[in-house]
Amino acid sequence: MGTTDRADRFYRDQLLDHLNERMREFVGRQEMFFLATADGSGECDSSFRAGPPGFVRVLDERTLIYPEYRGNGVLASLGNLSENPRLGILFVDFLRDRIGLHVNGRAWVVPDEEMRVRHPDLPVDPIPGRRAQLWVAVEVEEAYIHCAKHIPHLQKVPRQERGDRAWGTDDVKRKGGDFFGAAAEAAERAPYRRREETPQASAEPASTRPRIPDPSSFQEEAERVLALVQQRAPADPGDFRGWFG
C-alpha cells in the first residue's frame, strides 16, 4: 500500500524482542488486555482478560505471566494454546496514557501451586472468583507500540454508580444473561457445527455476496487490490519515533 518505507522505519525503531523498562512499567499497571490465539488448523479466536492493576506480572524482560480465572468452562484460549502455543496480547490504556502495547510470543501453562513455589511473592487475591486456577507464562518474542491516534479516552465510573463486578459468578443474570438472544433461539436451530463440516449452498444469490478468493489465488488477488490502493496512497506524513522509545 505504498508504506514500505514507513514499515521499515517502524521495524527498525519500534520492534523489540523484549520488554524494555517503560514497557514493563506499563504492563505492571494494566487492568485488562485482549488475547489472540489460534488452534492447530489456524482457526482464530480473540478474547478478553481483566483483573486488578498488576494482575499481569512481568518476571523479567522476556517473560510475563497472567492468571486464568474461573470462566464459562469453554477454555477456548487454553484449548488453542494446547495445539498452537503462539499468542498475541494487546494492552490498551484507555484511561491515562491512551496508548497500546503489542506483545507476541510463545506460551505454556503452569499450575497455580507450582507458580507460587517458583514465585512465593505472588499475592493471594481476597476475591475467590479472582484467584488463579492456573497461570499462562509467555516468552516474549515481539513487543511494539500501538499508536494513540485511534484510541478513545475513557473515564472510570464511580463504584456506587456501576456496582461491583461479579468475579467468577455462575449467576446467569450477573454474567449478562441471554443478551444477544442466542439461547432463546436455540430450540429453533440445529446444533452448531463448523461450516466445513456441513457444506450447504447459500440461499443468497452469488452475485450479491462478497467475492472471497480461493486461498491458492490469494497472492494474485492481494496484488490486484494493492495496485489499486497505491494509486491513492498518501505521502509519508512524518518521522515520529515512538512513545516507548
Side-chain angles (χ1 to χ4, degrees), residues 84-158:
N84 176 359
R86 295 194 177 277
L87 53 66
I89 291 174
L90 173 59
F91 297 96
V92 182
D93 185 343
F94 296 99
L95 304 174
R96 194 182 95 174
D97 297 310
R98 232 179 86 250
I99 204 76
L101 175 66
H102 292 266
V103 178
N104 300 327
R106 286 177 171 269
W108 68 99
V109 295
V110 182
D112 181 61
E113 57 272 21
E114 292 183 15
M115 186 63 79
R116 292 184 183 279
V117 169
R118 301 178 193 177
H119 302 281
D121 60 329
L122 285 175
V124 176
D125 200 296
I127 299 177
R130 216 167 55 191
R131 292 176 189 165
Q133 296 190 310
L134 54 82
W135 294 81
V136 176
V138 180
E139 177 188 5
V140 177
E141 296 180 332
E142 296 179 341
Y144 56 94
I145 191 172
H146 187 97
C147 69
K149 61 185 177 183
H150 297 149
I151 297 177
H153 188 188
L154 307 182
Q155 294 181 338
K156 282 191 174 184
V157 176

Side-chain angles (χ1 to χ4, degrees), residues 166-187:
W167 296 96
T169 186
D170 278 329
D171 184 292
V172 174
K173 289 185 177 180
R174 299 196 74 188
K175 291 195 297 183
D178 188 26
F179 184 86
F180 292 105
E185 303 168 351

Side-chain angles (χ1 to χ4, degrees), residues 14-104:
Q14 293 292 339
L15 187 63
L16 304 181
D17 63 358
H18 64 281
L19 300 171
N20 68 16
E21 183 176 355
R22 294 198 70 180
M23 291 174 175
R24 297 196 295 272
E25 184 276 331
F26 180 84
V27 170
R29 57 181 167 81
Q30 298 309 303
E31 299 181 55
M32 59 184 169
F33 66 82
F34 303 91
L35 175 66
T37 59
D39 65 16
S41 300
E43 298 285 344
C44 299
D45 184 74
S46 61
S47 191
F48 176 75
R49 296 291 186 274
F55 83 111
V56 181
R57 190 178 179 101
V58 179
L59 300 183
D60 56 55
E61 67 174 11
R62 297 183 185 274
T63 314
L64 61 78
I65 61 174
Y66 67 84
E68 282 286 354
Y69 300 140
R70 189 173 187 275
N72 58 12
V74 174
L75 304 178
S77 299
L78 290 176
N80 285 347
L81 291 174
S82 72
E83 298 183 10
N84 176 359
R86 295 194 177 277
L87 53 66
I89 291 174
L90 173 59
F91 297 96
V92 182
D93 185 343
F94 296 99
L95 304 174
R96 194 182 95 174
D97 297 310
R98 232 179 86 250
I99 204 76
L101 175 66
H102 292 266
V103 178
N104 300 327

Side-chain angles (χ1 to χ4, degrees), residues 4-19:
T4 301
D5 290 343
R6 289 168 57 197
D8 288 344
R9 184 168 65 249
F10 180 85
Y11 284 128
R12 183 181 66 247
D13 292 347
Q14 293 292 339
L15 187 63
L16 304 181
D17 63 358
H18 64 281
L19 300 171

